[in-house]
Coordinates of all heavy atoms in Angstrom, one line a residue:
M1 N 255.3 25.5 202.3 CA 255.2 26.9 202.6 C 255.0 27.1 204.1 O 254.3 26.3 204.8 CB 254.0 27.5 201.9 CG 254.2 27.9 200.5 SD 252.8 28.8 200.0 CE 253.0 28.5 198.2
M2 N 255.5 28.1 204.7 CA 255.4 28.4 206.1 C 254.3 29.5 206.2 O 254.3 30.5 205.4 CB 256.7 28.8 206.7 CG 256.7 28.8 208.2 SD 256.3 27.2 208.8 CE 257.4 27.1 210.0
Y3 N 253.5 29.4 207.2 CA 252.4 30.4 207.4 C 253.0 31.7 208.0 O 253.7 31.7 209.0 CB 251.3 29.9 208.3 CG 250.2 30.9 208.5 CD1 249.4 31.2 207.5 CD2 250.1 31.4 209.8 CE1 248.4 32.2 207.7 CE2 249.1 32.4 210.0 CZ 248.3 32.7 209.0 OH 247.3 33.7 209.2
N4 N 252.6 32.8 207.4 CA 253.1 34.1 207.8 C 251.8 35.0 208.0 O 251.2 35.5 207.1 CB 254.0 34.8 206.8 CG 254.5 36.1 207.3 OD1 254.2 36.5 208.4 ND2 255.2 36.8 206.5
P5 N 251.4 35.2 209.3 CA 250.1 36.0 209.5 C 250.2 37.5 209.1 O 249.2 38.1 209.0 CB 249.9 35.8 211.0 CG 251.2 35.5 211.6 CD 252.0 34.8 210.5
D6 N 251.5 38.0 208.9 CA 251.6 39.4 208.6 C 251.7 39.7 207.1 O 252.1 40.8 206.7 CB 252.9 40.0 209.3 CG 252.7 39.9 210.8 OD1 251.6 40.0 211.3 OD2 253.7 39.7 211.5
S7 N 251.4 38.7 206.3 CA 251.6 38.8 204.9 C 250.5 39.8 204.3 O 249.5 40.0 204.9 CB 251.5 37.5 204.1 OG 250.2 37.0 204.2
S8 N 250.8 40.3 203.1 CA 249.8 41.2 202.5 C 248.7 40.4 201.9 O 247.7 41.0 201.4 CB 250.5 42.0 201.4 OG 251.0 41.2 200.4
F9 N 248.8 39.1 201.9 CA 247.7 38.2 201.3 C 246.4 38.5 202.1 O 245.3 38.6 201.5 CB 248.0 36.8 201.5 CG 247.0 35.8 200.9 CD1 247.1 35.5 199.5 CD2 246.0 35.3 201.6 CE1 246.1 34.7 199.0 CE2 245.1 34.5 201.1 CZ 245.1 34.1 199.7
N10 N 246.5 38.6 203.4 CA 245.2 38.8 204.2 C 244.6 40.2 203.9 O 243.4 40.3 204.0 CB 245.6 38.7 205.7 CG 245.9 37.3 206.1 OD1 245.6 36.3 205.4 ND2 246.7 37.1 207.2
S11 N 245.4 41.2 203.6 CA 244.8 42.5 203.4 C 244.2 42.5 202.0 O 243.3 43.4 201.7 CB 245.8 43.6 203.5 OG 246.9 43.4 202.6
H12 N 244.6 41.6 201.1 CA 244.0 41.6 199.7 C 243.0 40.5 199.5 O 242.6 40.2 198.4 CB 245.2 41.4 198.7 CG 246.0 42.6 198.5 ND1 247.1 42.9 199.3 CD2 245.8 43.7 197.6 CE1 247.6 44.1 198.9 NE2 246.8 44.5 197.9
C13 N 242.7 39.8 200.6 CA 241.7 38.6 200.5 C 240.3 39.1 200.2 O 239.8 40.1 200.8 CB 241.7 37.9 201.9 SG 240.7 36.4 201.8
V14 N 239.8 38.5 199.2 CA 238.4 38.9 198.7 C 237.3 37.9 199.1 O 236.2 38.2 198.9 CB 238.4 39.2 197.2 CG1 239.2 40.4 196.9 CG2 238.8 38.0 196.4
G15 N 237.7 36.7 199.6 CA 236.7 35.8 199.9 C 237.3 34.4 200.4 O 238.4 34.1 200.1
T16 N 236.5 33.7 201.1 CA 236.8 32.3 201.6 C 235.7 31.4 201.2 O 234.5 31.7 201.4 CB 237.0 32.3 203.1 OG1 238.0 33.2 203.4 CG2 237.4 30.9 203.6
Q17 N 236.0 30.2 200.6 CA 235.1 29.2 200.2 C 235.4 27.9 200.8 O 236.6 27.6 200.9 CB 235.0 29.1 198.7 CG 234.6 30.4 198.0 CD 234.8 30.2 196.5 OE1 235.7 29.6 196.0 NE2 233.8 30.8 195.7
F18 N 234.4 27.1 201.1 CA 234.5 25.7 201.5 C 234.3 24.9 200.3 O 233.1 24.7 199.9 CB 233.5 25.5 202.7 CG 233.8 24.2 203.4 CD1 235.0 23.9 204.0 CD2 232.8 23.2 203.5 CE1 235.2 22.7 204.7 CE2 233.0 22.0 204.2 CZ 234.2 21.8 204.8
K19 N 235.4 24.3 199.7 CA 235.3 23.7 198.4 C 235.8 22.2 198.5 O 236.6 21.9 199.4 CB 236.1 24.4 197.4 CG 235.6 25.8 197.1 CD 236.3 26.4 196.0 CE 235.9 25.7 194.7 NZ 235.5 26.5 193.6
Y20 N 235.4 21.5 197.5 CA 235.9 20.1 197.4 C 237.2 20.1 196.6 O 237.2 20.7 195.5 CB 234.9 19.2 196.7 CG 235.2 17.8 196.7 CD1 235.1 17.0 197.8 CD2 235.7 17.2 195.5 CE1 235.4 15.7 197.8 CE2 236.0 15.8 195.5 CZ 235.8 15.1 196.6 OH 236.1 13.7 196.6
A21 N 238.3 19.6 197.1 CA 239.6 19.6 196.4 C 239.7 18.4 195.6 O 240.0 17.3 196.0 CB 240.7 19.7 197.4
L22 N 239.3 18.5 194.3 CA 239.4 17.4 193.4 C 240.8 17.0 193.0 O 241.1 15.8 192.9 CB 238.6 17.7 192.1 CG 238.4 16.6 191.1 CD1 237.7 15.4 191.7 CD2 237.6 17.1 189.9
F23 N 241.6 18.0 192.9 CA 243.1 17.7 192.5 C 243.9 18.0 193.8 O 243.5 18.7 194.7 CB 243.5 18.7 191.4 CG 242.8 18.4 190.1 CD1 241.8 19.3 189.7 CD2 243.0 17.3 189.4 CE1 241.1 19.1 188.5 CE2 242.3 17.1 188.2 CZ 241.4 18.0 187.8
P24 N 245.1 17.4 193.9 CA 245.9 17.5 195.1 C 246.3 19.0 195.4 O 246.8 19.7 194.4 CB 247.1 16.7 194.8 CG 246.7 15.7 193.8 CD 245.7 16.4 193.0
K25 N 246.1 19.4 196.6 CA 246.6 20.7 197.0 C 247.4 20.6 198.3 O 247.4 19.5 198.9 CB 245.3 21.6 197.3 CG 244.4 21.7 196.2 CD 244.9 22.5 195.0 CE 243.9 22.6 193.9 NZ 244.4 23.1 192.7
T26 N 248.0 21.6 198.7 CA 248.8 21.6 200.0 C 248.3 22.6 200.9 O 248.0 23.8 200.5 CB 250.3 21.9 199.7 OG1 250.7 20.9 198.7 CG2 251.1 21.7 200.9
C27 N 248.1 22.2 202.2 CA 247.6 23.2 203.2 C 248.7 24.2 203.4 O 249.9 23.9 203.6 CB 247.3 22.4 204.5 SG 246.8 23.5 205.9
H28 N 248.3 25.5 203.4 CA 249.2 26.6 203.6 C 249.8 26.7 205.0 O 250.9 27.1 205.2 CB 248.6 27.9 203.2 CG 249.5 29.1 203.2 ND1 250.4 29.2 202.1 CD2 249.7 30.1 204.0 CE1 251.2 30.3 202.4 NE2 250.7 30.8 203.5
I29 N 249.1 26.2 206.0 CA 249.6 26.3 207.4 C 250.4 25.1 207.7 O 251.5 25.2 208.2 CB 248.4 26.4 208.4 CG1 247.6 27.7 208.1 CG2 248.8 26.3 209.8 CD1 246.3 27.8 208.9
S30 N 249.9 23.9 207.5 CA 250.6 22.7 208.0 C 251.4 21.9 206.9 O 252.2 21.1 207.3 CB 249.6 21.7 208.6 OG 248.7 21.2 207.6
G31 N 251.2 22.2 205.7 CA 251.8 21.5 204.6 C 251.2 20.1 204.3 O 251.8 19.4 203.5
K32 N 250.1 19.8 204.9 CA 249.4 18.6 204.7 C 248.8 18.5 203.3 O 248.3 19.5 202.8 CB 248.3 18.4 205.8 CG 247.4 17.2 205.6 CD 246.3 17.2 206.6 CE 245.3 16.2 206.3 NZ 244.1 16.2 207.1
R33 N 248.8 17.4 202.7 CA 248.2 17.2 201.4 C 246.7 17.1 201.5 O 246.1 16.4 202.4 CB 248.7 15.9 200.7 CG 248.1 15.8 199.3 CD 248.7 14.6 198.6 NE 250.1 14.8 198.3 CZ 250.6 15.4 197.2 NH1 249.8 15.7 196.2 NH2 251.9 15.5 197.0
I34 N 246.0 17.9 200.7 CA 244.5 18.0 200.7 C 244.1 17.4 199.3 O 244.5 17.9 198.3 CB 244.0 19.4 200.8 CG1 244.5 20.0 202.1 CG2 242.5 19.4 200.7 CD1 244.3 21.5 202.2
W35 N 243.3 16.3 199.4 CA 243.0 15.7 198.1 C 241.7 14.9 198.3 O 241.6 14.1 199.3 CB 244.1 14.8 197.6 CG 243.9 14.2 196.3 CD1 243.2 14.7 195.3 CD2 244.5 13.0 195.8 NE1 243.3 13.9 194.2 CE2 244.1 12.9 194.4 CE3 245.3 12.0 196.3 CZ2 244.5 11.8 193.7 CZ3 245.7 11.0 195.5 CH2 245.3 10.9 194.2
L36 N 240.7 15.1 197.5 CA 239.4 14.4 197.5 C 238.7 14.6 198.9 O 238.2 13.6 199.4 CB 239.6 12.9 197.2 CG 240.2 12.5 195.9 CD1 240.4 11.1 195.7 CD2 239.3 13.1 194.8
E37 N 238.7 15.8 199.4 CA 238.1 16.1 200.6 C 237.7 17.6 200.6 O 238.2 18.4 199.7 CB 238.9 15.8 201.8 CG 240.2 16.6 201.9 CD 241.1 16.2 203.1 OE1 240.5 16.3 204.2 OE2 242.2 15.9 202.9
K38 N 236.8 18.0 201.5 CA 236.4 19.4 201.6 C 237.5 20.2 202.3 O 238.1 19.7 203.3 CB 235.1 19.6 202.3 CG 233.9 19.1 201.5 CD 233.1 20.3 201.1 CE 231.9 19.9 200.4 NZ 231.1 21.0 200.1
A39 N 237.8 21.4 201.8 CA 238.8 22.3 202.5 C 238.4 23.7 202.2 O 237.6 24.0 201.4 CB 240.2 21.9 201.9
Y40 N 239.1 24.6 202.9 CA 238.9 26.0 202.7 C 239.9 26.6 201.7 O 241.0 26.3 201.7 CB 239.0 26.8 204.0 CG 237.9 26.6 205.0 CD1 237.9 25.6 205.9 CD2 236.7 27.3 204.9 CE1 236.9 25.3 206.8 CE2 235.6 27.1 205.7 CZ 235.7 26.1 206.7 OH 234.7 25.9 207.5
R41 N 239.4 27.4 200.8 CA 240.2 28.1 199.8 C 240.0 29.6 200.0 O 238.9 30.1 199.9 CB 239.9 27.7 198.4 CG 240.8 28.3 197.4 CD 240.4 28.0 196.0 NE 239.3 28.8 195.5 CZ 238.9 28.9 194.3 NH1 239.4 28.1 193.4 NH2 237.9 29.7 194.0
Q42 N 241.1 30.4 200.2 CA 241.0 31.8 200.3 C 241.5 32.4 199.0 O 242.5 31.8 198.4 CB 241.8 32.4 201.4 CG 241.1 32.2 202.7 CD 241.8 33.0 203.8 OE1 243.0 33.1 203.8 NE2 241.0 33.5 204.8
T43 N 240.9 33.5 198.5 CA 241.3 34.1 197.3 C 241.7 35.5 197.6 O 241.0 36.3 198.3 CB 240.1 34.1 196.3 OG1 239.6 32.8 196.1 CG2 240.5 34.7 194.9
A44 N 242.9 35.9 197.0 CA 243.3 37.3 197.1 C 243.5 37.9 195.7 O 243.8 37.1 194.8 CB 244.7 37.4 197.8
M45 N 243.2 39.1 195.6 CA 243.2 39.8 194.3 C 244.1 41.0 194.3 O 244.0 41.9 195.2 CB 241.8 40.2 193.8 CG 241.8 40.8 192.4 SD 240.2 41.4 191.9 CE 240.1 42.9 192.9
W46 N 245.0 41.1 193.4 CA 245.9 42.3 193.1 C 245.6 42.8 191.8 O 245.3 42.1 190.8 CB 247.4 41.9 193.2 CG 247.9 41.7 194.6 CD1 248.4 42.6 195.4 CD2 247.9 40.5 195.3 NE1 248.8 42.1 196.6 CE2 248.5 40.7 196.6 CE3 247.5 39.2 195.0 CZ2 248.6 39.8 197.5 CZ3 247.6 38.2 196.0 CH2 248.2 38.5 197.2
T47 N 245.6 44.1 191.6 CA 245.4 44.7 190.3 C 246.7 44.9 189.6 O 247.6 45.5 190.1 CB 244.7 46.1 190.4 OG1 245.4 46.9 191.3 CG2 243.3 46.0 191.0
G48 N 246.8 44.2 188.5 CA 248.0 44.3 187.7 C 247.9 45.4 186.6 O 246.9 46.1 186.6
P49 N 248.9 45.6 185.8 CA 248.8 46.6 184.8 C 247.8 46.3 183.7 O 247.2 47.2 183.1 CB 250.2 46.6 184.2 CG 250.8 45.3 184.6 CD 250.2 44.8 185.8
D50 N 247.5 45.0 183.5 CA 246.5 44.7 182.4 C 245.2 44.1 183.1 O 244.2 44.6 182.9 CB 247.1 43.6 181.5 CG 248.3 44.2 180.7 OD1 248.3 45.4 180.4 OD2 249.2 43.4 180.4
D51 N 245.4 43.0 183.7 CA 244.2 42.3 184.3 C 244.5 42.1 185.8 O 245.6 42.1 186.3 CB 244.0 41.0 183.6 CG 243.6 41.1 182.2 OD1 242.9 42.1 181.9 OD2 244.0 40.3 181.4
P52 N 243.4 41.8 186.6 CA 243.6 41.5 188.0 C 244.3 40.1 188.1 O 244.1 39.2 187.3 CB 242.2 41.4 188.6 CG 241.3 41.5 187.4 CD 242.0 41.9 186.2
V53 N 245.1 40.0 189.1 CA 245.9 38.8 189.4 C 245.3 38.1 190.7 O 245.1 38.8 191.7 CB 247.4 39.1 189.6 CG1 248.1 37.8 190.0 CG2 247.9 39.8 188.4
F54 N 244.9 36.9 190.5 CA 244.3 36.1 191.7 C 245.3 35.1 192.2 O 246.0 34.5 191.4 CB 243.0 35.4 191.2 CG 241.9 36.3 190.8 CD1 241.7 36.7 189.5 CD2 241.1 36.8 191.8 CE1 240.7 37.5 189.2 CE2 240.0 37.7 191.5 CZ 239.8 38.0 190.1
E55 N 245.3 35.0 193.5 CA 246.2 34.0 194.2 C 245.3 33.2 195.1 O 244.4 33.8 195.8 CB 247.3 34.7 195.0 CG 248.2 33.7 195.7 CD 249.2 34.4 196.5 OE1 249.5 35.6 196.4 OE2 249.9 33.7 197.4
Y56 N 245.5 31.9 195.2 CA 244.7 31.0 196.0 C 245.5 30.3 197.1 O 246.6 30.0 196.8 CB 244.0 30.0 195.1 CG 243.2 30.5 194.0 CD1 243.6 30.6 192.7 CD2 241.9 31.1 194.3 CE1 242.9 31.1 191.7 CE2 241.1 31.6 193.3 CZ 241.6 31.6 192.0 OH 240.9 32.2 191.0
R57 N 245.0 30.2 198.2 CA 245.6 29.4 199.3 C 244.6 28.4 199.8 O 243.5 28.8 200.1 CB 246.1 30.3 200.5 CG 247.3 31.2 200.1 CD 247.8 31.9 201.3 NE 248.9 32.7 200.9 CZ 249.5 33.6 201.7 NH1 249.1 33.8 202.9 NH2 250.6 34.3 201.3
W58 N 245.0 27.2 200.0 CA 244.2 26.1 200.5 C 244.5 25.8 201.9 O 245.7 25.9 202.3 CB 244.4 24.9 199.6 CG 243.7 25.0 198.3 CD1 244.2 25.6 197.2 CD2 242.4 24.5 197.9 NE1 243.3 25.5 196.2 CE2 242.2 24.9 196.6 CE3 241.4 23.8 198.6 CZ2 241.0 24.5 195.9 CZ3 240.3 23.5 197.9 CH2 240.1 23.8 196.6
Y59 N 243.5 25.5 202.7 CA 243.7 25.2 204.1 C 242.9 23.9 204.5 O 241.7 23.8 204.1 CB 243.2 26.4 205.0 CG 243.9 27.7 204.8 CD1 243.4 28.6 204.0 CD2 245.1 27.9 205.5 CE1 244.0 29.8 203.8 CE2 245.8 29.1 205.3 CZ 245.2 30.1 204.4 OH 245.9 31.3 204.2
D60 N 243.5 23.1 205.3 CA 242.8 21.9 205.8 C 241.7 22.5 206.7 O 241.9 23.5 207.4 CB 243.8 21.1 206.6 CG 243.1 19.9 207.4 OD1 242.6 19.0 206.7 OD2 243.1 20.0 208.6
K61 N 240.5 21.8 206.7 CA 239.4 22.4 207.5 C 239.7 22.6 209.0 O 239.3 23.6 209.6 CB 238.1 21.6 207.3 CG 238.2 20.2 207.7 CD 237.0 19.4 207.3 CE 237.2 17.9 207.5 NZ 236.1 17.2 207.0
N62 N 240.4 21.6 209.6 CA 240.7 21.8 211.0 C 241.8 22.8 211.3 O 241.7 23.6 212.2 CB 241.2 20.4 211.6 CG 240.1 19.4 211.5 OD1 238.9 19.7 211.6 ND2 240.5 18.1 211.2
E63 N 242.8 22.9 210.4 CA 243.8 24.0 210.6 C 243.2 25.3 210.4 O 243.6 26.3 211.1 CB 245.0 23.7 209.6 CG 245.7 22.4 209.8 CD 246.6 22.5 211.0 OE1 246.9 23.6 211.5 OE2 246.9 21.4 211.5
F64 N 242.3 25.5 209.4 CA 241.7 26.8 209.2 C 240.9 27.2 210.3 O 241.0 28.4 210.8 CB 240.8 26.7 207.9 CG 240.1 28.0 207.6 CD1 240.8 28.9 206.9 CD2 238.8 28.2 207.9 CE1 240.2 30.1 206.5 CE2 238.2 29.4 207.6 CZ 238.9 30.3 206.9
L65 N 240.1 26.3 210.9 CA 239.2 26.7 212.0 C 240.1 27.1 213.3 O 239.7 28.0 214.0 CB 238.2 25.6 212.3 CG 237.2 25.3 211.3 CD1 236.3 24.1 211.6 CD2 236.3 26.6 211.0
A66 N 241.1 26.3 213.5 CA 242.0 26.6 214.6 C 242.7 28.0 214.4 O 242.8 28.8 215.4 CB 243.1 25.5 214.8
A67 N 243.1 28.3 213.2 CA 243.7 29.6 212.9 C 242.7 30.7 213.1 O 243.1 31.8 213.6 CB 244.3 29.6 211.5
R68 N 241.5 30.5 212.7 CA 240.4 31.5 212.8 C 240.1 31.8 214.3 O 240.0 33.0 214.7 CB 239.1 31.1 212.1 CG 239.2 31.1 210.6 CD 239.3 32.5 210.1 NE 238.0 33.1 210.2 CZ 237.6 34.2 209.5 NH1 238.5 34.7 208.6 NH2 236.4 34.7 209.6
L69 N 240.1 30.7 215.1 CA 239.8 30.9 216.5 C 241.0 31.6 217.2 O 240.7 32.4 218.2 CB 239.6 29.6 217.2 CG 238.3 28.9 216.8 CD1 238.2 27.5 217.4 CD2 237.1 29.7 217.4
K70 N 242.2 31.4 216.7 CA 243.4 32.1 217.3 C 243.5 33.6 216.8 O 244.3 34.3 217.3 CB 244.7 31.4 217.0 CG 244.7 30.0 217.7 CD 246.0 29.3 217.3 CE 246.1 27.9 217.9 NZ 247.3 27.2 217.4
G71 N 242.7 33.9 215.8 CA 242.8 35.3 215.3 C 243.9 35.5 214.2 O 244.3 36.6 214.0
L72 N 244.4 34.4 213.7 CA 245.5 34.5 212.7 C 245.0 34.8 211.3 O 245.7 35.3 210.5 CB 246.3 33.2 212.7 CG 247.0 32.9 214.1 CD1 247.7 31.6 214.0 CD2 248.0 34.0 214.4
L73 N 243.8 34.4 211.0 CA 243.2 34.6 209.6 C 242.1 35.6 209.7 O 241.3 35.7 210.6 CB 242.7 33.3 209.1 CG 243.8 32.3 208.8 CD1 243.1 31.0 208.3 CD2 244.8 32.7 207.8

């Protein structure tokens, strides 16, 4: 996936957590594999017709901090 700072994901973001990635994930910014290490996970929520829909994006800790300092997240 390629990072798009203008996506609606950021406007629907409900939280960011620093979690341990037990199963393999992919960094949304760099495409790097995240596995058996701590990483940032952002959660976005949309209201659907029946139940809320949650979407998760994983970020490598260094990529996430660099993007936050640049004002992209």
Side-chain angles (χ1 to χ4, degrees):
M1 281 189 200
M2 192 61 135
Y3 178 70
N4 181 5
D6 297 327
S7 70
S8 63
F9 183 88
N10 293 336
S11 63
H12 287 87
C13 185
V14 293
T16 303
Q17 298 173 320
F18 191 58
K19 296 188 70 135
Y20 187 77
L22 185 60
F23 298 105
K25 307 292 181 188
T26 304
C27 176
H28 188 72
I29 296 173
S30 66
K32 174 186 169 188
R33 181 173 296 264
I34 302 167
W35 188 26
L36 299 176
E37 62 181 308
K38 288 249 185 177
Y40 286 94
R41 182 183 83 170
Q42 282 191 324
T43 305
M45 182 184 75
W46 284 269
T47 54
D50 297 329
D51 294 325
V53 178
F54 292 96
E55 181 181 345
Y56 304 103
R57 289 187 179 173
W58 286 82
Y59 299 96
D60 175 67
K61 57 186 172 186
N62 296 325
E63 296 288 339
F64 180 81
L65 293 175
R68 290 289 284 199
L69 288 172
K70 292 178 184 176
L72 300 175
L73 295 177

